[in-house]
């Protein structure tokens, strides 16, 4: 059973940047697709970005061009670089993993097996 721990959230002004990290323990990451999701108050959880085992990526339209997902398998960590942040990006951000060793693509649908506890991101002046 993987354990995922997010960090890097906080309060930032509109237009600012944050980098979220998700440290994974319990296994190496080489066979896992990884994703970032978010949930704002009163809204459903939505996919933000994902990265496959071959580093193929996908993004939600709302963050494409502003956010970048990356992975460092040697450090067992996945990152989400968030730039040009907007108030509507305010949410709890979760990372998740799914064992998928053969697929070069990933999905931002929330059908992942293992989840972290989340980190709060607040974008406000």
């Amino acid at each position: 059973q993987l354990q995922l721990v997010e960090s890097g959230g906080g309060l930032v002004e509109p237009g600012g940047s944050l980098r979220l990290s998700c440290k994974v323990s319990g296994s190496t990451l080489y066979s896992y697709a990884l994703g970032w999701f978010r949930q704002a108050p009163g809204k459903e959880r939505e996919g933000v970005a994902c990265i496959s085992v071959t580093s193929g990526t996908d993004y939600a339209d709302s963050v494409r061009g502003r956010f970048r997902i990356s992975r460092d398998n040697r450090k067992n960590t996945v990152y989400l670089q968030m730039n040009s942040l907007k108030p509507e990006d305010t949410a709890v951000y979760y990372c998740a993993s799914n064992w998928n060793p053969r697929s070069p693509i990933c999905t931002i649908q929330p059908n992942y097996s293992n989840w972290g506890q989340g980190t709060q991101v607040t974008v406000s002046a």
Side-chain angles (χ1 to χ4, degrees), residues 34-114:
L34 303 160
W36 284 97
F37 300 81
R38 67 187 181 186
Q39 188 165 18
K43 294 188 177 181
E44 293 187 354
R45 188 171 298 187
E46 63 172 350
V48 174
C50 67
I51 186 165
S52 73
V53 295
T54 58
S55 293
T57 59
D58 196 13
Y59 296 88
D61 289 343
S62 59
V63 307
R64 195 182 305 273
R66 299 188 297 122
F67 290 11
R68 180 176 180 272
I69 188 172
S70 61
R71 63 191 295 161
D72 187 335
N73 290 340
R74 293 170 299 177
K75 295 182 178 180
N76 259 32
T77 302
V78 59
Y79 304 97
L80 185 68
Q81 177 67 43
M82 306 186 295
N83 300 324
S84 302
L85 282 161
K86 304 175 181 180
E88 51 263 44
D89 295 317
T90 296
V92 177
Y93 283 71
Y94 301 88
C95 66
S97 67
N98 222 20
W99 192 78
N100 198 351
R102 293 187 173 85
S103 177
I105 62 174
C106 60
T107 176
I108 58 173
Q109 295 300 312
N111 54 351
Y112 281 60
S113 300
N114 299 287

